[in-house]
Each structure stands twice: as structure tokens, then as C-alpha cells.
């Protein structure tokens, strides 16, 4: 089995000894969440800060389009009090609302009981978020050791203490938001770079018709469509649930009489045919749909059905994503002329 060190060295990164020795036992790819999990077995405990560093490096150098997460498995005998800080770091990463709650906390392990001594209150929050269970599950996943978690110490805030814990939460939340923004910026940059590379100098074969870059798809409504798109010319009532892509050439919306919802009609074409997307959204949840403009390329999963009001077949979307289109660049010295055939379905401007 390949070691984590082998993988990291192939990316030009020299890991720490403890990290390098990890044996990669399984690779899980979750395309809907853009996540790759590497289940890795270690002979000795590795601090979670080192694992997070590896996660970031693998994302930047090998899998820029995906989040990367090491799922460690440590020997049961490695479980001790010095490991608790890493466990809590992982739990805080999964639930940002806990940031600051465990600051300066102490801990003791007595057989299968982990006792965490709080210094800044927050027991109500911990109970509400079922944090004891999250800690137990993390220890079980990492060490295969069952533990019961209890909280002691200063479990409630006294008068005047609120400002302390509130300040801790604000500082932690600012750092968490900054990290999310940084991650989104990296993702956007990677998608722009990928889109810039997807160019064709002449349309032939698969590139005879306009195409989208599936890797750049980002969800707008529902989960990311998973199926390969079929031509809109094949989108029929009998086809059932399918995925198509199309460039928006018209979009209309109107509110219901009570103003609680908005009804959208979005016309798209993939240049094999055209179809109208019909969907109804709650008025307070329309920002992403309202951001769709003419010329936007959409990846859509849904079913085709007859609309008795418009008296035509329409598509009812279950999922919509935005994507980049392959750019056609004419590199010939003598410029080519492309002729477009327009039919009665061609309601857009050439």
C-alpha cells in the first residue's frame, strides 16, 4: 500500500516523519461535496495541526478542485490526554459555533471516561450541540476506543464574564470566515484557470457544437447535478429525470398574488434545441436564481412535462448549477466564417 510520504513527495513536498509513515488504505471521492477522503493508518499519533497542513497542501498542489481530508486511524494505545487538544480542534472545525468554548480547558482520562474542565462556561451550548457525542465519535473513529465525555469546571458564565466569552467567539468566527473566504478565492482562481485552458481553435468532432466544462459546475439550486448531460433535442416526457445543459437566452419572473413566491421561466439552448425551465421559489430565497443572466451556461437536472398554461413541454428542475463554456478561438491567419442555421426555435439573437 502506498504511503502518505510517497504521495506527498510526488507533489514536491517533504512531510514530517510521523506523517510520511502513514499507510493510505482507502480513497473515497464524494463528487457532490467536492471532497476526497484519504483513510490513512498511522503507527503513532500525529497532531491534527500536522494533518490539516497536509490537507491544505494536497488541495493546492494535487487536487485544486476538491477539498482534501485525511481520516486518520491511530493505535488504541496511543490514546492519552495529550491527544485531546487535537480531538477538540477537529470537533471545533466541524462546528464553528464552539470556537472559544474550550480555550484554556483541562482534561483527564480515567479508564473510558474523558472529563473536560471548562474555564469559560458554555455548558448549555455544548449540550445543545451534542458536543459530547461528537468528541466520542471522533475518538472512536481515530483510536477505536469508546469513551464517555463529561464536562466540569466553570460550566456557566457569571456576571461580567459574558464579554470574555463573547470576545473569544467573535475572534474565532472572524478567523473562520477569513479561512472560508480564502478557500473560495482559491477555488474561483482554480476554476478560472481551468476554464482559460479549455479552448478550441476550430469546431470539429465533439467540439462541433458549443460545450460546457463540467468541472467548473457550481450549484445554484439543490445538489450538483451528477448525470452526464444529454442533448436538449433528446429531452422528452418519456425520458424521465435527465440532465441537460443550455445557455440562457431569455429569463422572466413574476410574483404570486400574495407575494410569497416567485415563478421563473428560463429559456435555454444547447444549439440542438431549446427548452423552458419552470420553477417556483420562496420569495425570501431567490437571490441565486435572480443572479442568472442571459448568456449564463446552466447544468440542469429535472423532468420534462406538459405545462397546460403555456401549452408546451417544459422542464421542472430539481437541481441547477452554473458552469463555464468552452471558448472557441480562431487562430487561423485567414479567418474562418461559421454559418449558423436558425429555426423557429431560435428566439435568441445571433
Amino acid at each position: 500500500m502506498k504511503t502518505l510520504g510517497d504521495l506527498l513527495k510526488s507533489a514536491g513536498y517533504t512531510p514530517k516523519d510521523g506523517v510520511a509513515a502513514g499507510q493510505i488504505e482507502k480513497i473515497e471521492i464524494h463528487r457532490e461535496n467536492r471532497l476526497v477522503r484519504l483513510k490513512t493508518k498511522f503507527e503513532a499519533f500525529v497532531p491534527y495541526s500536522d494533518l490539516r497542513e497536509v490537507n491544505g497542501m494536497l488541495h493546492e498542489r494535487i487536487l485544486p478542485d476538491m477539498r482534501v481530508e485525511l481520516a486518520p486511524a491511530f493505535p488504541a494505545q496511543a490514546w492519552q490526554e495529550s491527544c485531546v487538544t487535537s480531538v477538540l480542534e477537529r470537533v471545533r472545525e466541524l462546528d464553528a459555533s464552539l470556537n472559544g468554548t474550550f480555550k484554556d480547558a483541562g482534561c483527564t482520562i480515567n479508564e473510558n471516561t474523558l472529563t473536560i474542565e471548562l474555564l469559560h462556561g458554555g455548558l448549555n451550548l455544548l449540550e445543545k450541540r451534542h458536543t459530547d457525542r461528537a468528541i466520542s465519535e471522533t475518538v472512536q473513529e481515530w483510536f477505536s476506543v469508546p469513551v464517555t465525555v463529561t464536562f466540569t469546571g466553570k460550566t456557566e458564565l457569571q456576571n461580567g464574564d459574558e464579554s470574555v466569552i463573547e470576545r473569544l467567539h467573535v475572534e474565532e468566527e472572524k478567523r473562520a470566515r477569513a479561512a472560508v473566504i480564502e478557500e473560495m478565492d482559491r477555488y474561483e482562481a482554480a476554476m478560472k484557470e481551468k476554464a482559460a485552458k479549455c479552448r478550441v481553435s476550430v469546431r470539429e468532432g465533439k467540439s462541433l457544437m458549443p460545450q460546457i466544462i463540467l468541472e467548473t459546475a457550481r450549484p445554484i439550486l439543490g445538489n450538483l447535478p451528477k448525470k452526464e448531460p444529454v442533448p436538449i433535442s433528446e429531452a422528452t416526457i418519456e425520458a424521465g429525470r435527465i440532465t441537460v445543459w443550455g445557455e440562457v437566452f431569455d429569463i422572466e419572473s413574476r410574483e404570486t398574488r400574495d407575494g410569497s413566491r416567485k415563478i421563473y421561466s428560463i429559456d435555454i439552448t444547447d444549439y440542438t434545441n431549446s427548452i423552458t425551465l419552470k420553477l417556483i421559489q420562496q420569495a425570501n430565497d431567490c437571490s441565486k436564481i435572480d443572479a442568472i443572466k442571459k448568456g449564463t451556461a446552466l447544468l440542469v437536472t429535472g423532468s420534462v412535462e406538459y405545462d397546460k398554461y403555456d401549452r408546451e413541454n417544459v422542464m421542472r428542475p430539481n437541481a441547477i448549477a452554473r458552469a463555464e463554456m468552452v471558448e472557441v478561438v480562431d487562430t487561423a491567419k485567414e479567418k474562418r466564417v461559421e454559418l449558423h442555421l436558425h429555426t423557429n426555435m431560435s428566439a435568441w439573437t445571433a
Side-chain angles (χ1 to χ4, degrees), residues 234-249:
E234 298 179 12
T236 62
I237 294 176
E238 295 77 18
R241 181 173 294 188
I242 57 173
T243 296
V244 301
W245 83 269
E247 185 177 353
V248 177
F249 63 88

Side-chain angles (χ1 to χ4, degrees), residues 105-162:
C107 69
T108 56
I109 298 176
N110 184 10
E111 296 183 349
N112 290 334
T113 299
L114 168 62
T115 302
I116 298 177
E117 183 180 3
L118 305 174
L119 294 183
H120 301 288
L123 179 61
N124 290 338
L125 173 63
L126 296 175
E127 291 177 342
K128 181 179 179 181
R129 305 295 294 178
H130 303 290
T131 307
D132 58 337
R133 185 171 62 196
I135 295 172
S136 297
E137 290 174 351
T138 302
V139 175
Q140 179 68 44
E141 179 183 349
W142 286 8
F143 302 93
S144 298
V145 173
V147 295
T148 300
V149 179
T150 61
F151 300 107
T152 62
K154 193 172 186 178
T155 57
E156 296 182 4
L157 297 175
Q158 305 297 324
N159 291 336
D161 289 338
E162 287 82 0

Side-chain angles (χ1 to χ4, degrees), residues 193-208:
E193 181 179 356
K194 181 178 288 290
K197 293 179 180 178
C198 292
R199 298 179 176 182
V200 293
S201 60
V202 62
R203 287 178 177 167
E204 58 185 10
K206 289 185 177 180
S207 61
L208 180 62

Side-chain angles (χ1 to χ4, degrees), residues 255-266:
E255 290 187 352
T256 56
R257 291 182 179 179
D258 60 4
S260 63
R261 294 178 294 176
K262 291 181 73 172
I263 303 173
Y264 293 88
S265 297
I266 306 173

